[in-house]
Amino acid sequence: MPISFRDHSARPLRTILQWVLALLVPALLWLPIISLYGAAISRLWREPQQWSQAVALDSVARTLLANTLALAALSCGFALIFGLPIGVALARGPGYFRRIGLVLCVLPLALPPTVLTTAYLQWTQTPPALAQSSLGATTSTTLAPVLIAALVLGLCFYPIVALVVRAGLISMPHQWEEAALQFGPLASTWRGILWPHLKPVIWGALGIVAALSIWEVGAPDLLGVPTYSMQIRRQLAARDALDASGADIKAALSSWPMFVLGALALWPALRARKYFGGVVQEAPHESGTQSTLDGRWCMWPSLLIFAICPVAPIAVFVSQLRPPQVLWETWTANSGEIINTVLSATVATLLSLLLSLLMVGLWRNQSTLRGCGLVFGGSLMLVAPVLLGIALIQFYNRPGWEWIYGGGDGSNSLQSLLMDWSSRYSLLIVGYLSRFLPMALWWFDEAADRVDDRLLEAAQNLGATPGRVTLTILLPYLTPVIVGGGALLWSLCAGELATSILVNAPGGQTLPVPIFNWMHIGAIEQVAALSLALFILNALALLSGQFLLAVLLKSRGTDNPHHD
Amino acid sequence: MNSFAVRWGAFALLCFATFLSGCNRTAPPQSTSKPSNRVVLYCSVDEVYAKPLINELEQRTGLRIDALFDTEATKTAGLTNRIRAEKAFPRGDVFWSSALLQTLLLKRDGLLQPYASPSARDLLPAFKDKNGYWAGLGARKRVMAFHQSLQGKPMVYSLKDLQQPRFKNRFAISNPQFGTASDWVAALGVRLGPQRVQKLFIDLKRNGLKVLPGNSDVVRRVARGELLAGVTDMDDYEAQAKRTKTLFIEMGGTAQPDSEKVYVPGSVAMLKGAPHPEAARKLIDALIEARTELELAKRMQGVQPLRNTFTSWPDESEHWPAAWDKLREPLAEILLTP
């Protein structure tokens, strides 16, 4: 008897199991953070006089918050200035430019902010600053370093704006513009048609840029911009916090503004998530139809921006390799870091994709469960990366978690050796999952939401097993997200610094950490060599994903995963 | 799809539960297996210098050295706080610090275990703990770096001289809350007494003393001419002097008061409860032996080997923690508030 796909009037046990399985992973990832805040609240309960010290924003904290907000706002401005013309050119420019431009536009994502900052410092021969926050600065920083830091972050993150603007434009039927032009001038068409369509897209992208800028640690530190994120990091290591648990708690309590800022920044992205998940269907376009927004005039500014980033930083790194053999020597000496980066990013990406698939599959057609899963899982993004690192160490540094933190008992037994290897990467992978699984969840959910349930139901009614339905119907819809999203996740994991710098285990250090550290002591050639290594790894991942995606879509003959 | 996901999810849950059940360990098992050759090294020496040395030590000793380096942003303090956080269940075996004070504080807090390495026999008593809790490895001199515009003018040999009007708002030190500056302050505290040190810094602050995040920051700003003078480490001075000709130092000779001639030794210690004790001892023996120290001095300009440089040195370091305790808060008050 065919089972209706919509038959979820099942046994209560099955429903409970669905809920448990769907929410298990987010719950496990939230545990360290909840544990840290539990300890913090418990301490405040015992010592209520500390409440005002811990939570109130003194003048230093307000200054740092102001710096952080200024940095975020300016980064958004630069990302918009760079990303908008590129997005238009990628959507409406000549075919040859769209193909090359798409490749070049993705490459800045292969340059994490710390790496791009080192390129800037090397190019200008400026020594790296050290953030003033450790000195208890009570005055704001000057505008110049904030502008430079914002420019660097804008150059890192403009692809986010460019790609969603492209997605917004290609999804908009040209007939709308045509029709509007019949009744009004160009300006009112832009105001009345294009802007309302692009507004949520642009705000969403800028929200993501703002959130990433707020959480960024490496670039502001190297450029001498004291930010709130870095202050949390320094509080943990402050000499006056000899009671390490006190430092954790102080950092946890004082990080509440990061939650608020992160939520405010990501809210627009949430509202525009349809442009960030799945493949946006290109609107039908008849040849000869008139467009108000011609992409050709955006080509030249786009080429200039591409020259600034990603081309110029790569040229800077190559020029710093004096003598040239320092490249191979540095790569060989740091082969461990390269292997660690590849391994941890790969495992974290595969786990993120698998877990997202599983969770989205579990909560499909269960709107309440889906809502809870998205909120519970997605809200992990609001945890500042620095705080995440603190929480992970505090939680897993206890007996019983040797597979994750600590390693074996020092013997040569197989179990001990496996625990040594596991503990080398586990905490890092958990950190990556906490940071990037929410993104994967939203993407997968958005893509799965576009699948017509009737297709799935029809297949099941014709006798297909749920597994076959998944493989033949659902998975093709999700494949573009798996391929494209997987590539992006990989590069985000590989370039992650804020959490890694805290949780990297002995022998498990990844590339961004020595790049950040060595830049401070002026080891320019080695930093250039490692930056190139990280860029190449990221670029390979992103370009492979892009290529596979293009092949996949071409083999289906449409931007849609299924022919209609 | 739902039942498919449920079945696979249930299987995954079962695996996970099994995994968790095997995790719990309340007491270290009595292993009959051979000890592993793995050793965990917590290292606050700059990675770019320490790493090649660690690779050499791996080849020499056959050990697998998993090193954890501290970030430049937090210097040694971050790593030692991690050691404290892991007190109940230590993960590290050996602590190799670029300074000494933090090691002494760890010893005072009961976080080290003694190991009198045979490699330390030829070190002066001033550069090792008498009970074997730590041993010195290389030393850096605290120096005063000057901008070239001061050449030919009356020289400055003592901190007190920086109170002269010509230095107003034009001299700096690195933050004494971190790194070798805290060792320096502790040494001054032992020699001059905490009250005199506080008075000295109050007077310097009145003359516009700047406190910068790190030693390299101090020497860079002196090299650029933004400052006339700064107290820094010899290795930071050497690194900057290689790039620019605008700096010089005066070694002082007899003109510099003995109380201000401070050398900050690096230190190596075994952590209490080290999970790989045999490997840790082997690593310590290799780290502090003479050829390793020479190799370190060759790689890090400004670091001097303890064995050939000193024929005698006052054995005062055991008093540094007490002096630091008396100076830490007052100095933070004096130097870091406007």
Side-chain angles (χ1 to χ4, degrees):
Chain A
M1 183 167 115
I3 298 169
S4 164
F5 189 76
R6 289 187 187 274
D7 179 15
H8 48 265
S9 60
R11 305 159 290 244
L13 186 62
R14 180 178 164 143
T15 307
I16 291 168
L17 195 59
Q18 255 180 307
W19 274 77
V20 167
L21 290 174
L23 299 181
L24 178 66
V25 169
L28 288 174
L29 294 176
W30 265 109
L31 261 182
I33 299 148
I34 293 170
S35 163
L36 181 63
Y37 275 97
I41 290 168
S42 150
R43 177 170 281 213
L44 283 181
W45 190 265
R46 292 194 305 272
E47 299 166 31
Q49 69 276 12
Q50 296 220 5
W51 181 263
S52 57
Q53 279 175 29
V55 175
L57 295 175
D58 60 11
S59 60
V60 173
R62 287 197 296 272
T63 303
L64 294 170
L65 267 180
N67 293 343
T68 306
L69 286 169
L71 181 65
L74 288 169
S75 301
C76 288
F78 281 119
L80 185 65
I81 290 168
F82 300 141
L84 195 56
I86 295 176
V88 171
L90 289 178
R92 302 278 178 93
Y96 65 87
F97 177 83
R98 279 187 272 140
R99 281 185 286 278
I100 301 168
L102 210 49
V103 171
L104 288 173
C105 184
V106 158
L107 287 179
L109 296 173
L111 287 166
T114 306
V115 170
L116 193 58
T117 306
T118 62
Y120 166 77
L121 291 173
Q122 290 173 24
W123 173 55
T124 57
Q125 297 185 343
T126 309
L130 289 173
Q132 299 289 314
S133 58
S134 64
L135 303 182
T138 55
T139 56
S140 305
T141 185
T142 58
L143 184 59
V146 180
L147 268 176
I148 293 167
L151 180 64
V152 168
L153 292 177
L155 286 170
C156 279
F157 300 139
Y158 77 72
I160 299 173
V161 175
L163 292 171
V164 295
V165 165
R166 171 185 175 269
L169 281 174
I170 66 173
S171 69
M172 190 178 75
H174 288 241
Q175 294 87 326
W176 293 5
E177 289 175 74
E178 278 251 312
L181 279 173
Q182 306 290 330
F183 297 103
L186 195 65
S188 58
T189 303
W190 285 358
R191 206 173 46 245
I193 302 294
L194 279 175
W195 177 240
H197 188 74
L198 288 180
K199 191 171 65 172
V201 165
I202 290 175
W203 281 122
L206 292 181
I208 294 176
V209 171
L212 292 172
S213 303
I214 287 166
W215 295 325
E216 179 59 30
V217 164
D221 186 68
L222 285 168
L223 292 168
V225 179
T227 58
Y228 209 83
S229 269
M230 199 59 201
Q231 175 68 355
I232 297 172
R233 170 80 181 96
R234 286 176 183 276
Q235 273 177 347
L236 177 68
R239 282 291 305 277
D240 60 357
L242 290 179
D243 171 14
S245 65
D248 290 351
I249 287 165
K250 191 174 173 190
L253 290 171
S254 60
S255 68
W256 66 265
M258 305 304 288
F259 278 99
V260 173
L261 290 180
L264 287 172
L266 289 173
W267 177 246
L270 199 64
R271 298 186 66 196
R273 58 187 239 264
K274 72 173 178 181
Y275 295 101
F276 299 97
V279 175
V280 175
Q281 183 175 356
E282 183 160 353
H285 172 61
E286 290 172 16
S287 58
T289 52
Q290 190 182 353
S291 282
T292 59
L293 206 53
D294 189 342
R296 279 174 298 181
W297 60 269
C298 291
M299 258 176 55
W300 300 109
S302 304
L303 287 171
L304 179 62
I305 295 164
F306 289 147
I308 298 171
C309 181
V311 175
I314 307 307
V316 167
F317 291 141
V318 171
S319 71
Q320 294 295 333
L321 298 174
R322 291 190 293 260
Q325 56 264 32
V326 77
L327 179 74
W328 181 247
E329 284 167 6
T330 308
W331 285 7
T332 315
N334 293 278
S335 57
E337 276 74 9
I338 293 173
I339 292 170
N340 292 341
T341 303
V342 172
L343 265 178
S344 52
T346 304
V347 171
T349 301
L350 289 174
L351 278 176
S352 295
L353 296 175
L354 204 62
L355 290 169
S356 301
L357 258 175
L358 187 67
M359 290 164 68
V360 166
L362 281 168
W363 69 46
R364 187 160 178 78
N365 296 320
Q366 305 249 7
S367 55
T368 311
L369 177 56
R370 181 186 173 204
C372 289
L374 284 174
V375 168
F376 199 31
S379 55
L380 274 165
M381 281 184 77
L382 299 181
V383 181
V386 169
L387 185 69
L388 177 65
I390 294 167
L392 288 175
I393 292 179
Q394 195 242 25
F395 185 76
Y396 287 108
N397 181 25
R398 58 184 81 190
W401 293 106
E402 289 77 16
W403 284 93
I404 294 179
Y405 191 110
D409 59 6
S411 69
N412 238 358
S413 65
L414 180 62
Q415 182 186 349
S416 180
L417 293 174
L418 284 174
M419 284 168 82
D420 286 347
W421 279 102
S422 166
S423 67
R424 189 181 271 204
Y425 302 110
S426 295
L427 206 60
L428 199 58
I429 290 170
V430 172
Y432 290 163
L433 279 176
S434 303
R435 284 210 64 194
F436 303 121
L437 178 65
M439 276 184 220
L441 271 178
W442 284 101
W443 293 337
F444 273 78
D445 183 73
E446 181 54 34
D449 201 33
R450 295 172 195 205
V451 177
D452 191 342
D453 276 344
R454 290 173 296 179
L455 290 174
L456 304 169
E457 202 175 323
Q460 275 206 311
N461 287 341
L462 289 171
T465 59
R468 191 149 181 220
V469 169
T470 305
L471 287 174
T472 56
I473 309 285
L474 191 62
L475 205 54
Y477 274 93
L478 298 181
T479 306
V481 173
I482 292 171
V483 169
L488 186 57
L489 280 176
W490 197 98
S491 72
L492 287 171
C493 291
E496 205 282 333
L497 175 69
T499 305
S500 312
I501 212 169
L502 280 161
V503 306
N504 72 103
Q509 189 167 257
T510 51
L511 279 173
V513 178
I515 290 172
F516 176 69
N517 280 340
W518 296 4
M519 195 60 213
H520 278 97
I521 61 170
I524 306 271
E525 298 85 9
Q526 289 83 354
V527 167
L530 291 183
S531 301
L532 273 174
L534 186 58
F535 171 75
I536 290 169
L537 289 174
N538 280 343
L540 280 174
L542 289 166
L543 293 177
S544 306
Q546 203 172 35
F547 174 72
L548 282 172
L549 195 58
V551 165
L552 190 71
L553 294 177
K554 194 173 178 186
S555 69
R556 290 172 180 166
T558 175
D559 270 358
N560 251 333
H562 293 282
H563 291 282
D564 288 325
Chain B
M1 168 62 192
N2 275 347
S3 65
F4 173 81
V6 168
R7 280 188 213 128
W8 280 105
F11 174 68
L13 186 63
L14 189 63
C15 292
F16 183 66
T18 313
F19 165 79
L20 271 186
S21 70
C23 261
N24 195 24
R25 179 165 76 105
T26 52
Q30 294 299 314
S31 175
T32 54
S33 306
K34 220 171 60 164
S36 84
N37 64 345
R38 181 185 185 227
V39 61
V40 176
L41 171 67
Y42 284 5
C43 179
S44 76
V45 174
D46 287 335
E47 186 182 346
V48 72
Y49 304 117
K51 206 160 192 191
L53 209 57
I54 289 170
N55 291 341
E56 266 177 44
L57 289 173
E58 277 187 320
Q59 286 173 10
R60 207 194 301 166
T61 60
L63 292 170
R64 183 163 59 90
I65 304 173
D66 285 343
L68 180 68
F69 299 95
D70 201 2
T71 63
E72 178 63 19
T74 57
K75 299 289 183 182
T76 313
L79 208 48
T80 52
N81 274 351
R82 186 150 170 172
I83 291 170
R84 288 194 173 85
E86 294 172 353
K87 178 168 63 173
F89 213 76
R91 315 293 186 175
D93 298 301
V94 177
F95 178 48
W96 177 15
S97 173
S98 54
L100 180 56
L101 179 63
Q102 289 288 345
T103 307
L104 296 171
L105 292 172
L106 287 177
K107 177 197 165 189
R108 188 179 64 175
D109 294 342
L111 295 166
L112 304 181
Q113 61 175 304
Y115 169 58
S117 167
S119 300
R121 281 197 201 116
D122 55 346
L123 287 173
L124 289 176
F127 299 125
K128 62 184 175 185
D129 183 78
K130 52 180 180 285
N131 295 317
Y133 279 93
W134 60 271
L137 179 58
R140 291 178 282 176
K141 187 171 195 251
R142 293 291 284 176
V143 296
M144 246 191 274
F146 300 100
H147 187 254
Q148 63 181 3
S149 57
L150 287 177
Q151 265 175 335
K153 297 193 179 143
M155 266 326 300
V156 167
Y157 299 105
S158 163
L159 288 171
K160 260 178 52 176
D161 297 336
L162 292 173
Q163 295 175 46
Q164 295 170 15
R166 59 178 169 145
F167 290 107
K168 186 153 182 77
N169 298 323
R170 304 284 307 274
F171 67 109
I173 63 171
S174 60
N175 189 345
Q177 301 290 313
F178 295 103
T180 50
S182 51
D183 294 62
W184 172 61
V185 160
L188 290 177
V190 169
R191 294 171 186 182
L192 302 175
Q195 300 298 329
R196 274 184 66 187
V197 171
Q198 285 180 50
K199 180 163 184 329
L200 174 65
F201 279 105
I202 289 172
D203 293 338
L204 290 175
K205 186 77 194 284
R206 269 202 210 110
N207 203 31
L209 169 69
K210 294 184 190 313
V211 180
L212 302 180
N215 291 312
S216 50
D217 211 33
V218 169
V219 76
R220 262 195 304 267
R221 290 180 67 173
V222 174
R224 288 207 294 257
E226 294 169 28
L227 300 169
L228 286 176
V231 180
T232 186
D233 286 343
M234 190 61 154
D235 61 319
D236 290 290
Y237 165 77
E238 297 268 6
Q240 188 63 37
K242 262 196 322 193
R243 296 191 193 108
T244 172
K245 305 288 179 229
T246 56
L247 279 175
F248 71 98
I249 55 171
E250 281 293 324
M251 293 305 285
T254 53
Q256 186 183 24
D258 284 344
S259 57
E260 293 184 25
K261 288 179 186 165
V262 175
Y263 280 85
V264 179
S267 54
V268 176
M270 188 163 163
L271 297 174
K272 190 174 181 182
H276 314 93
E278 281 193 36
R281 290 185 199 105
K282 200 170 171 184
L283 175 61
I284 291 173
D285 291 341
L287 253 177
I288 59 176
E289 64 179 0
R291 64 172 157 163
T292 310
E293 190 179 49
L294 272 172
E295 192 58 41
L296 180 69
K298 256 195 276 181
R299 289 178 192 276
M300 282 183 81
Q301 275 195 319
V303 170
Q304 292 165 282
L306 296 171
R307 287 168 171 88
N308 298 329
T309 311
F310 304 93
T311 49
S312 69
W313 196 254
D315 187 5
E316 63 189 3
S317 58
E318 64 180 81
H319 303 293
W320 284 10
W324 173 245
D325 284 343
K326 291 190 182 123
L327 284 169
R328 184 172 52 129
E329 296 285 345
L331 278 188
E333 186 73 35
I334 293 164
L335 297 176
L336 303 182
T337 49

